[in-house]
Amino acid sequence: MDEADLNGFWSLCTGPFGCLDYELRGGSLTVHGLNMVGGNEDFAFRGRCRLDQGSLSATLHFKRHGQGGDDGTIFGPADADFHVHFMAEAISPHHFEGCFRRLGFADLRIVMKRIGRQNIGPLQI
């Protein structure tokens, strides 16, 4: 697997470790040339990832835009602008699993699955 294999549209679902798949909260992700852009109803994020022998990692810049309140978002009542470390391992070329890590918060499980593979243009981050 190389960086071109990552290009496309992905679902990116998150939740606490130990939760069942149906308890994960959904979002979306676009990858092009190792640039990542995505979000959900509470956050938008962007960053640049690295792929090394099936291990995908990135530092993502998150911006809160939703009205999640005290417990309505994956990171609770926190700053509107912060960074999260993303780490995931390839299960298949269309499926990664791993975690979001933010200092001061519990790690979150992530499941990333390919939605579509299209010839998309460069992402401006």
Side-chain angles (χ1 to χ4, degrees):
M1 175 178 256
D2 63 24
E3 71 178 61
D5 294 324
L6 290 174
N7 289 346
F9 302 105
W10 299 79
S11 66
L12 183 64
C13 297
T14 61
F17 277 96
C19 73
L20 301 174
D21 284 353
Y22 72 85
E23 296 174 309
L24 294 170
R25 294 181 63 184
S28 62
L29 170 67
T30 300
V31 180
H32 185 270
L34 297 182
N35 291 311
M36 301 174 91
V37 175
N40 64 16
E41 69 274 7
D42 296 312
F43 300 99
F45 62 84
R46 63 181 169 83
R48 185 153 175 85
C49 61
R50 293 167 298 286
L51 181 63
D52 183 26
Q53 299 180 352
S55 293
L56 184 61
S57 63
T59 298
L60 301 174
H61 178 198
F62 271 66
K63 290 280 253 186
R64 184 185 302 267
H65 62 78
Q67 302 295 321
D70 288 348
D71 60 358
T73 70
I74 59 174
F75 292 111
D79 303 330
D81 192 359
F82 54 90
H83 289 85
V84 171
H85 190 64
F86 169 104
M87 298 168 285
E89 298 293 325
I91 306 300
S92 78
H94 307 288
H95 180 182
F96 285 80
E97 293 201 18
C99 73
F100 276 150
R101 181 165 287 159
R102 181 178 179 210
L103 188 62
F105 292 83
D107 289 353
L108 294 171
R109 175 182 175 213
I110 57 173
V111 176
M112 180 176 148
K113 292 186 178 181
R114 186 181 302 278
I115 297 171
R117 185 177 174 102
Q118 297 184 359
N119 187 11
I120 56 178
L123 299 172
Q124 301 297 318
I125 62 169

